[in-house]
């Protein structure tokens, strides 16, 4: 009676319970053994509690970004398995997106400031989750002005001289 944890099976020939659990919770069941060729039986009541693994996200922190510069950083979860990723609080920097299937944050930031957010990884096919709180600070690029020495001007005479900035 009862049921083995989802994903486990009982080998009726040798009594081995094996497989990979796919659901959490307590599982209570009774196993009955019958002596071959007779009506003699015995039984035992058992319980297996299946829990979620501790899910850890890496890296523990993310590098900063620069407005107008391409950004790409991967977040991964362990132990091994297939996960989906989501921003569950806060917000990524404007211009960045999270790939929910592989955990890559990418794009081009368009606003400065510190951006604080939480990424949660969910083990596919389960309710098992892990999360990490992150911060990405987006800064302005260094802007350099360049021009040749500026010549003097004359009253009443047209004046034109270029000054350039980089990055543009």
């Amino acid at each position: 009676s009862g049921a083995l944890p989802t994903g486990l099976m009982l080998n009726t020939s040798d009594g081995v319970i094996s497989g990979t659990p796919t659901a959490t919770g307590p599982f209570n069941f009774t196993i009955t053994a019958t002596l071959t060729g007779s009506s003699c039986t015995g039984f035992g009541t058992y319980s297996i509690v299946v829990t979620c693994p501790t899910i850890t996200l890496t890296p523990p922190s993310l590098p900063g970004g620069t407005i107008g510069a391409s950004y790409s950083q991967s977040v991964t979860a362990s132990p091994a398995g297939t996960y989906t990723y989501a921003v569950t609080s806060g917000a990524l920097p404007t211009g960045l997106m999270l790939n929910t299937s592989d955990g890559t944050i990418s794009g081009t930031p368009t606003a400065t400031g510190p951006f604080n957010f939480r990424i949660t990884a969910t083990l596919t096919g389960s309710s098992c989750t892990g999360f990490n709180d992150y911060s990405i600070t987006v800064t302005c690029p260094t802007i350099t002005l360049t021009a040749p020495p500026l010549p003097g001007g004359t009253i009443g005479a047209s004046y034109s001289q270029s000054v350039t900035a980089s990055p543009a």
Side-chain angles (χ1 to χ4, degrees):
S1 65
L4 289 171
T6 308
L8 297 185
M9 296 179 61
L10 171 66
N11 182 320
T12 58
S13 298
D14 61 13
V16 172
I17 299 171
S18 64
T20 303
T22 59
T24 60
F27 294 86
N28 300 304
F29 52 93
T30 300
I31 296 176
T32 301
T34 303
L35 181 60
T36 304
S38 76
S39 60
C40 302
T41 62
F43 69 92
T45 301
Y46 302 94
S47 179
I48 297 175
V49 177
V50 179
T51 60
C52 286
T54 299
I55 297 172
T56 305
L57 276 68
T58 56
S61 62
L62 297 171
T66 303
I67 282 185
S70 180
Y71 186 94
S72 182
Q73 177 67 47
S74 292
V75 172
T76 58
S78 62
T82 304
Y83 294 88
T84 56
Y85 299 86
V87 175
T88 53
S89 68
L92 291 172
T94 308
L96 298 185
M97 294 177 54
L98 172 66
N99 182 317
T100 60
S101 61
D102 70 10
T104 300
I105 300 168
S106 63
T108 303
T110 60
T112 61
F115 294 84
N116 300 304
F117 52 94
R118 173 175 285 178
I119 294 180
T120 299
T122 302
L123 184 60
T124 302
S126 77
S127 60
C128 301
T129 63
F131 67 87
N132 197 19
D133 292 324
Y134 290 105
S135 179
I136 296 176
T137 299
V138 178
T139 59
C140 290
T142 301
I143 299 174
T144 305
L145 298 175
T146 57
L150 298 175
T154 304
I155 291 180
S158 176
Y159 185 92
S160 176
Q161 181 62 48
S162 294
V163 175
T164 60
S166 65

